[in-house]
Amino acid sequence: KAGVTQTPRYLIKTRGQQVTLSCSPISGHRSVSWYQQTPGQGLQFLFEYFSETQRNKGNFPGRFSGRQFSNSRSEMNVSTLELGDSALYLCASSPGDRKETQYFGPGTRLLVL
Amino acid sequence: GDSVTQMEGPVTLSEEAFLTINCTYTATGYPSLFWYVQYPGEGLQLLLKATKADDKGSNKGFEATYRKETTSFHLEKGSVQVSDSAVYFCALVPGGTSYGKLTFGQGTILTVHP
């Protein structure tokens, strides 16, 4: 089975721009979660989608948004980029039950200049 | 709120040494507990997990036991290899209806020398 894929792998943007990241889950998985990883804050949960509905949300400003499509693929968007948004963005997929393992993609590394 | 605390790193060991990375947690209900490993430039890989008290997760020589009385999930390996050098994260999913949200510890950098 193919793993979780994320595109693009690397991205450079300037302050004020917006960016869209994409995540394709493992086939059959209906839940996609997004995380931000930075050296200072570590790994922080952004949000989770299941069957096109956001089920859970972390403590990030409204500039961070996401969506999920009917094929379970998910996108995350960050508007009005700030320098502090530079990070590795990871998505993870799972079948959907709370206790099931989340499988992570390789991440998208975003640099904001 | 929910939280995970890992021992301070980095940890430096010689090959074949014994490894322990401490992890304690605070969570509502009955959480599921995980150890993930991250190699340079890669995403996180599941190392092992336990979903209820006294469960022991194991994989590739690594073990961890879910101890509810001490709220701990310490990672151990009897004989480490150079290839085990990576960052290790302890994580939990809380009880209740908190879907899809892993709460992570700060990570422990492990370096193994030949």
Side-chain angles (χ1 to χ4, degrees):
Chain A
K1 230 182 217 188
V4 177
T5 57
Q6 292 186 244
T7 56
R9 292 292 311 277
Y10 303 94
L11 210 45
I12 300 175
K13 293 287 188 179
T14 56
R15 275 183 301 174
Q17 287 187 309
Q18 74 165 14
V19 66
T20 299
L21 312 182
S22 180
C23 173
S24 292
I26 292 170
S27 177
H29 285 189
R30 295 167 66 189
S31 168
V32 174
S33 297
W34 289 89
Y35 297 85
Q36 181 194 65
Q37 185 177 23
T38 59
Q41 299 298 316
L43 281 152
Q44 294 185 287
F45 172 76
L46 282 153
F47 31 65
E48 187 256 4
Y49 286 86
F50 178 83
S51 292
E52 302 179 66
T53 300
Q54 187 182 87
R55 284 197 302 191
N56 205 348
K57 189 176 187 303
N59 296 323
F60 278 81
R63 299 186 297 106
F64 291 82
S65 63
R67 59 178 176 168
Q68 187 180 35
F69 302 95
S70 58
N71 61 359
S72 294
R73 190 177 69 86
S74 177
E75 288 182 347
M76 129 174 198
N77 184 77
V78 188
S79 62
T80 318
L81 284 165
E82 300 177 359
L83 296 179
D85 298 333
S86 295
L88 180 67
Y89 289 88
L90 294 163
C91 83
S93 77
S94 80
D97 184 78
R98 183 181 55 80
K99 289 192 172 188
E100 288 171 4
T101 300
Q102 292 185 31
Y103 296 90
F104 284 79
T108 294
R109 187 163 295 282
L110 171 64
L111 177 62
V112 182
L113 301 175
Chain B
D2 305 314
S3 67
V4 175
T5 302
Q6 289 181 231
M7 66 184 287
E8 294 286 330
V11 175
T12 303
L13 296 172
S14 298
E15 206 165 26
E16 298 184 4
F18 183 85
L19 168 71
T20 299
I21 301 178
N22 290 338
C23 171
T24 57
Y25 67 89
T26 303
T28 53
Y30 298 93
S32 294
L33 303 173
F34 304 82
W35 277 100
Y36 282 87
V37 59
Q38 187 175 35
Y39 298 99
E42 298 184 11
L44 276 69
Q45 298 177 23
L46 176 72
L47 186 57
L48 53 83
K49 73 176 198 181
T51 58
K52 61 183 188 296
D54 300 324
D55 267 1
K56 177 187 279 189
S58 61
N59 185 27
K60 299 180 182 179
F62 291 90
E63 293 183 340
T65 300
Y66 187 141
R67 301 284 188 202
K68 193 171 188 307
E69 63 276 13
T70 54
T71 61
S72 64
F73 193 54
H74 304 322
L75 182 68
E76 295 183 337
K77 186 176 186 184
S79 176
V80 293
Q81 306 299 312
V82 172
S83 57
D84 293 327
S85 298
V87 184
Y88 291 80
F89 293 93
C90 184
L92 67 81
V93 169
T97 58
S98 184
Y99 290 99
K101 178 183 177 181
L102 279 162
T103 297
F104 288 90
Q106 68 269 40
T108 301
I109 300 172
L110 170 66
T111 302
V112 180
H113 292 297

